[in-house]
Amino acid sequence: MSPSSGRAERLAAAVHERGLDLLLVSNLVNVRWLTGFTGSNALVIIGGSGEDAARILLSDFRYTTQIEEQVPPTWDRREATQELVGPALAEHLPPAGGGTPPRVGFEDRAITVHQLERIREAIGDRAELVPAGSLVEGLREVKDAGEVSRIREAARLADIALSEVVGQGLIGRTEAQVALDLEVAMRRHGAEAISFPPIVASGTHGALPHAEPRAVPIEAGVLVTIDWGAQLEGYCSDCTRTFATGEISEDERAVYDVVLRAQETSLAAVRPGRSGREIDAVARDIITEAGHGDAFGHGLGHGVGLEIHEAPRLSRLAPETPLAEGMIVTVEPGIYLPGRFGVRIEDLVVITAMGSDVLNTLPKDLQVVG
Ligand code: ZN
Ligand code: ZN
């Protein structure tokens, strides 16, 4: 399904507002969001409006047919190797020597020094190349109905897959086996891919926020953190649950309860108009008050879309800009006690006019699994 041309028009307006004549989009995820093209080599040149509009997608011979299938004809679709990007761009620039040179933005987080030098050589002093930050990422923050429904469906099938896998028991299976079974179950239920390699972390490994599953059997009487997600038509889901395999200690139970309270309270605070920093503080205050502030070393959450981690962020360092309806974010506080255990609980939510709509359906009160 091709994205609507509204995206290109909104981006062109943002390019103009930023004081740029053209923008080079080299981040392939941004190219996909704009044009629908899913290949591995492309560059977009965009800017202007009406007769002066540049809506150019450059790629190479391998993708000619794919581009015809994926990219609407409103885009000027051209075959060009990376070496020809400069000349293609030069076509859209006025001849040299005429007043102030046009300003051409580039995605400074997503272009190589090599690419930039090639472009510089091709256009010489006919344009000023300007780092333009993350203009497209800013527009990607608010999802449209089609994006929300894909992420909702990815979250739904990921939940089904997890219930199936955990339903077969955890004790005695290795973390790696559980992770593999989860990947297979997600694919079988319709995921085109996984959104990231699942984390299955039991016992002391639960204290590693991004633990890699080990070939180590899961023991009875420990906590097991599972963080997983499915991908559907490019869109990701993300969820975490922490299970107990039998009787756990009072300390483990207490930490679980703190994380759950922080998760539910901060989740209830999500609504348009509040900043990611404020919502992070809601969870962080609860965890800090319980004496575990230092053990919650990451942000409360992140945007999810074509990428598993994207804007906006919910963290101490997030900007004060308010969250808006249509954003999709995670809410995932955790407490990690090195050498002992860890707990994280994560939901994926769409921000609605009144608050948020949770996309996961799995229970959050402590589930004991044999
Ligand atoms: Zn996650
Ligand atoms: Zn996450």
Side-chain angles (χ1 to χ4, degrees):
M1 200 191 305
S2 297
S4 74
S5 61
R7 291 182 186 172
E9 297 317 307
R10 275 190 289 141
L11 177 60
V15 167
H16 179 72
E17 223 166 274
R18 184 63 81 87
L20 299 170
D21 296 288
L22 294 169
L23 176 70
L24 299 173
V25 180
S26 52
N27 175 338
L28 289 172
V29 180
N30 290 342
V31 170
R32 177 177 188 164
W33 181 82
L34 269 176
T35 68
F37 176 57
T38 59
S40 68
N41 176 34
L43 187 105
V44 157
I45 301 172
I46 186 167
S49 59
E51 284 193 357
D52 294 330
R55 305 284 183 271
I56 305 169
L57 172 67
L58 303 165
S59 185
D60 66 73
F61 171 77
R62 291 171 298 166
Y63 291 118
T64 307
T65 305
Q66 183 178 330
I67 284 179
E68 273 169 28
E69 286 169 4
Q70 292 182 322
V71 181
T74 47
W75 286 90
D76 176 357
R77 300 163 296 180
R78 297 198 202 167
E79 201 179 295
T81 62
Q82 289 288 350
E83 279 61 36
L84 295 176
V85 168
L89 178 64
E91 279 174 37
H92 276 262
L93 300 172
T100 339
R103 288 161 57 83
V104 177
F106 61 90
E107 295 184 302
D108 43 301
R109 289 195 172 92
I111 196 160
T112 63
V113 174
H114 177 78
Q115 282 174 312
L116 194 60
E117 284 312 315
R118 278 293 163 81
I119 293 166
R120 223 184 276 283
E121 279 166 25
I123 62 176
D125 55 5
R126 291 171 62 195
E128 184 191 351
L129 285 167
V130 185
S134 308
L135 278 176
V136 186
E137 285 84 345
L139 296 180
R140 279 170 43 201
E141 287 185 28
V142 172
K143 272 66 185 176
D144 63 30
E147 293 177 299
V148 173
S149 75
R150 286 180 196 122
I151 296 171
R152 187 185 296 277
E153 179 56 18
R156 194 188 67 85
L157 75 87
D159 280 0
I160 293 172
L162 186 90
S163 304
E164 212 173 88
V165 170
V166 171
Q168 292 157 11
L170 292 173
I171 299 169
R173 296 162 78 193
T174 68
E175 294 172 350
Q177 269 166 353
V178 173
L180 176 62
D181 289 352
L182 194 46
E183 288 191 30
V184 173
M186 285 191 275
R187 292 294 298 267
R188 208 162 6 83
H189 283 287
E192 69 190 356
I194 49 174
S195 33
F196 57 93
I199 294 169
V200 178
S202 66
T204 54
H205 243 225
L208 281 63
H210 268 198
E212 283 174 26
R214 302 165 295 175
V216 167
I218 297 170
E219 291 173 19
V222 296
L223 291 170
V224 186
T225 299
I226 304 181
D227 189 344
W228 78 108
Q231 187 186 307
L232 203 63
E233 292 180 55
Y235 286 85
C236 298
S237 78
D238 189 8
C239 185
T240 306
R241 290 293 183 267
T242 299
F243 297 90
T245 54
E247 189 112 351
I248 53 168
S249 71
E250 259 175 48
D251 277 359
E252 286 168 317
R253 180 78 224 194
V255 163
Y256 190 94
D257 290 343
V258 171
V259 173
L260 181 57
R261 190 152 50 84
Q263 205 273 346
E264 289 181 330
T265 312
S266 54
L267 183 59
V270 172
R271 68 179 64 101
R274 300 191 90 168
S275 72
R277 196 185 291 199
E278 279 177 273
I279 295 162
D280 177 274
V282 172
R284 202 164 297 281
D285 287 351
I286 291 171
I287 290 175
T288 303
E289 226 166 87
H292 292 297
D294 292 342
F296 175 27
H298 57 72
L300 178 66
H302 52 88
V304 174
L306 286 170
E307 289 178 288
I308 185 66
H309 294 120
E310 56 179 56
R313 303 278 163 174
L314 278 58
S315 81
R316 278 174 288 191
L317 302 172
E320 300 279 10
T321 43
L323 298 174
E325 188 176 350
M327 290 177 173
I328 296 190
V329 297
T330 67
V331 177
E332 50 177 311
I335 293 178
Y336 310 93
L337 303 174
R340 298 179 64 201
F341 61 90
V343 173
R344 178 167 67 257
I345 302 170
E346 172 178 31
D347 277 328
L348 187 60
V349 306
V350 192
I351 301 179
T352 61
M354 304 303 289
S356 70
D357 180 6
V358 180
L359 299 181
N360 312 107
T361 51
L362 300 173
K364 285 187 283 195
D365 49 319
L366 185 61
Q367 303 292 301
V368 180
V369 180

